[in-house]
Amino acid sequence: MSSEGDGETGSMILEISDRLVSGMVISGQNQSKTNVRSSTLDLSLETIGPGNSKGENSLLSANGNTMQINLEGLAKNNNDSAAVAFMTLQGMESLLSHQYFQTENRTEMYSDVITAILPLMNNTNLTEPVNFTIFHKKRVHESGLVTCVYWEDKTQERRSVQWSVEGCSVAYTNENYTVCSCSHLSTFALILQIAEPPPEDDFLQWLNRLCVIVGLCFFALAILTFLLCSWNPKINNTARLHLCLNLALSHLLLLWNDKYVEQELACTVMAGLLHFLIVASFVWMLLEALQLHLLVRRLSKVQVIQRDGLPRPLLYLIGYGVPFVIVLAVAGTQLQLGFDRVNGILFCATLWSLRPTLANMKSDVSQSKDTRLIVFKILSQFVILGCTWILGLYQSNLFFQVLFILLNSQQGTFLFIVHCLLNKEVREEYIKWLTCSFNKPGEGGSVKDAPSVSEDFDKAEE
């Protein structure tokens, strides 16, 4: 028999089996239990008559699978008599193939095909749902979804046969068996649905690789700038430097991840290292957001900023200690989304704290050119702080996929532009490097720098 099955032949066999089972039941028969087992059939038949009451649900089994039904409740609606049969027929899973289940996912037949019938009964409406305990043929796939289905035969209505989920649901499942709760009796089975990964988009892969390479170049420029440039002692670039280092290394590993797929040990090590780097990147984003918020709050007060941000030892402890604990303890996916939300809240709080500062800025700063620069820097901070990672929740749309790649691969670009290229003193030092005309020590005084969020904020403070 092909994997496509033969639903019409299977339906005919089920119909013949139902008639044969009905022939085994004698109308008005008292309580009895009958078991028939052979190489092709496993049948359990139970009947109750007037005056038979045991005060509990009936339990029938077939090939290890069980059915629990309130037979006494059915008898009350059928002149105090009821009968139920529960059986399996060998090879039915080939005839009633999983191909008859309509879904976009890949499917597998995951159990025996079981049949439950109420022979010689006029009123077959169930008084309560029936529970079937159906054992799996193999272990559940990691990405699989076990589904309780029943065989829907509409050949008499000139319609096709198929597996359907109507009236059946999964009450409980584990790696060995599944309990199905059904509101009607029929032929049942378990079908495993396995989600197919979406086909890889060559355009998105090319775009991602190109953007990551461009982002890595700007990460390198930003790292060299933070390490080699002379910075005002008030400026603490620790969070920005280590944010660049962790993001650059994680992007670099992502470019090489396909080279280690077939090497189990190397793949495990790379996955763990990548996990740590990504979580560490989000922690450093959080620290940068916190320092930005503290700086802006100071700008709204008349005070001298002695040091921009948190002490360096505390930054190291949080920046690498927290990710280490997280990687050892829990998976980081949901936690990363949590960092996104915290960063977003801090970003909004920072904008709110910045509102009176912007309103009180000098008239020369509030000119259109400077205003546009401030707006650009504010929007750039939204990318630098990782708030755009929230777009990962909307990856079913091509527009959001492209936007996610463009923004999150260029965090290094925005870091370099905002904290390096738009900093006047850093630009002057770039010119010195390019012209090889560095001033001797003591000439021209020390290099002054605005608070690293924006030169305009420093002007507002004066």
Side-chain angles (χ1 to χ4, degrees):
M1 181 59 61
S2 68
S3 61
E4 296 182 357
D6 189 345
E8 293 184 0
T9 300
S11 294
M12 290 178 60
I13 294 175
L14 290 175
E15 185 178 355
I16 294 171
S17 301
D18 290 354
R19 292 179 181 179
L20 292 174
V21 172
S22 298
M24 298 174 61
V25 179
I26 300 174
S27 181
Q29 184 177 3
N30 289 329
Q31 184 173 1
S32 66
K33 278 190 174 183
T34 304
N35 295 312
V36 177
R37 289 183 174 85
S38 68
S39 59
T40 58
L41 172 69
D42 194 342
L43 168 68
S44 293
L45 176 64
E46 182 173 347
T47 63
I48 61 173
N52 301 134
S53 176
K54 57 180 181 178
E56 59 184 19
N57 289 344
S58 298
L59 184 66
L60 293 84
S61 64
N63 200 28
N65 308 292
T66 61
M67 176 180 71
Q68 191 173 15
I69 184 171
N70 184 2
L71 196 57
E72 292 183 7
L74 288 168
K76 291 178 181 178
N77 299 326
N78 288 274
N79 300 320
D80 293 331
S81 297
V84 60
F86 184 52
M87 65 178 179
T88 61
L89 288 170
Q90 185 178 2
M92 288 301 296
E93 58 270 17
S94 298
L95 293 173
L96 310 184
S97 168
H98 60 89
Q99 301 290 345
Y100 286 100
F101 184 63
Q102 298 179 1
T103 178
E104 296 179 352
N105 301 323
R106 183 164 61 89
T107 58
E108 293 181 12
M109 184 61 71
Y110 216 60
S111 69
D112 295 327
V113 174
I114 60 175
T115 300
I117 58 175
L118 299 173
L120 300 182
M121 290 180 58
N122 296 324
N123 188 345
T124 58
N125 294 325
L126 299 178
T127 56
E128 60 185 59
V130 177
N131 291 330
F132 298 94
T133 301
I134 309 174
F135 281 84
H136 305 159
K137 288 190 171 183
K138 55 184 177 180
R139 293 177 63 90
V140 177
H141 194 276
E142 291 182 358
S143 61
L145 174 66
V146 178
T147 308
C148 297
V149 295
Y150 85 97
W151 185 249
E152 188 176 22
D153 186 357
K154 295 184 177 180
T155 53
Q156 294 180 354
E157 303 174 13
R158 295 183 179 180
R159 296 171 66 181
S160 61
V161 292
Q162 63 179 6
W163 288 110
S164 173
V165 298
E166 185 178 354
C168 287
S169 62
V170 175
Y172 174 79
T173 186
N174 62 23
E175 62 180 13
N176 298 317
Y177 65 88
T178 295
V179 178
C180 297
S181 179
C182 302
S183 60
H184 57 82
L185 296 187
S186 178
T187 295
F188 303 93
L190 296 178
I191 288 181
L192 181 69
Q193 299 187 64
I194 303 174
E196 291 284 0
E200 295 183 350
D201 192 314
D202 292 336
F203 167 71
L204 290 178
Q205 283 190 327
W206 173 84
L207 179 65
N208 180 66
R209 188 169 293 272
L210 177 63
C211 290
V212 168
I213 292 174
V214 172
L216 284 172
C217 294
F218 283 100
F219 271 128
L221 291 174
I223 292 170
L224 290 174
T225 301
F226 291 139
L227 289 175
L228 302 179
C229 274
S230 300
W231 294 88
N232 191 309
K234 293 180 181 179
I235 306 304
N236 186 350
N237 283 322
T238 303
R240 294 161 202 147
L241 173 61
H242 288 270
L243 173 59
C244 288
L245 288 171
N246 284 278
L247 281 175
L249 288 174
S250 63
H251 287 183
L252 195 60
L253 289 182
L254 285 172
L255 284 179
W256 292 345
N257 63 347
D258 56 340
K259 299 182 182 297
Y260 301 93
V261 173
E262 297 180 357
Q263 303 176 28
E264 184 176 354
L265 179 60
C267 187
T268 302
V269 173
M270 294 291 286
L273 182 58
L274 184 61
H275 189 184
F276 175 82
L277 290 173
I278 291 178
V279 175
S281 298
F282 276 93
V283 174
W284 284 110
M285 290 179 207
L286 178 60
L287 292 172
E288 173 66 6
L290 181 59
Q291 293 198 116
L292 173 63
H293 179 66
L294 294 175
L295 174 62
V296 171
R297 289 195 62 179
R298 292 191 187 107
L299 286 175
S300 62
K301 301 176 182 180
V302 181
Q303 64 180 51
V304 177
I305 303 177
Q306 297 181 350
R307 183 70 173 168
D308 176 11
L310 302 172
R312 188 170 298 177
L314 181 61
L315 288 175
Y316 288 143
L317 179 62
I318 298 175
Y320 291 110
V322 172
F324 182 76
V325 173
I326 290 173
V327 170
L328 289 181
V330 295
T333 303
Q334 294 298 324
L335 218 56
Q336 291 161 18
L337 294 178
F339 284 131
D340 283 346
R341 296 189 182 99
V342 174
N343 287 356
I345 293 171
L346 280 174
F347 181 76
C348 294
T350 301
L351 290 182
W352 185 258
S353 300
L354 188 61
R355 184 174 52 89
T357 302
L358 292 175
N360 295 326
M361 291 178 75
K362 297 177 183 179
S363 60
D364 60 331
V365 177
S366 59
Q367 298 299 322
S368 59
K369 179 179 179 180
D370 293 323
T371 302
R372 287 195 299 269
L373 184 60
I374 293 173
V375 171
F376 172 77
K377 291 183 177 182
I378 291 174
L379 294 178
S380 298
Q381 289 294 339
F382 188 78
V383 178
I384 292 172
L385 299 180
C387 300
T388 52
W389 280 76
I390 200 70
L391 293 173
L393 298 175
Y394 307 97
Q395 291 301 287
S396 58
N397 184 287
L398 179 61
F399 172 76
F400 286 112
Q401 290 177 338
V402 173
L403 194 61
F404 180 85
I405 292 173
L406 291 177
L407 292 178
N408 293 315
S409 64
Q410 300 307 307
Q411 282 180 275
T413 306
F414 285 102
L415 271 162
F416 176 74
I417 292 175
V418 171
H419 296 296
C420 302
L421 198 60
L422 294 180
N423 187 300
K424 181 180 178 181
E425 284 73 19
V426 174
R427 289 200 306 270
E428 291 176 354
E429 198 150 347
Y430 285 160
I431 295 174
K432 292 179 182 179
W433 290 353
L434 294 175
T435 58
C436 298
S437 59
F438 292 95
N439 289 335
K440 295 181 180 180
E443 293 183 3
S446 61
V447 178
K448 292 183 179 180
D449 194 4
S452 55
V453 179
S454 169
E455 293 176 66
D456 308 300
F457 297 167
D458 185 53
K459 294 177 183 179
E461 185 193 4
E462 294 176 355

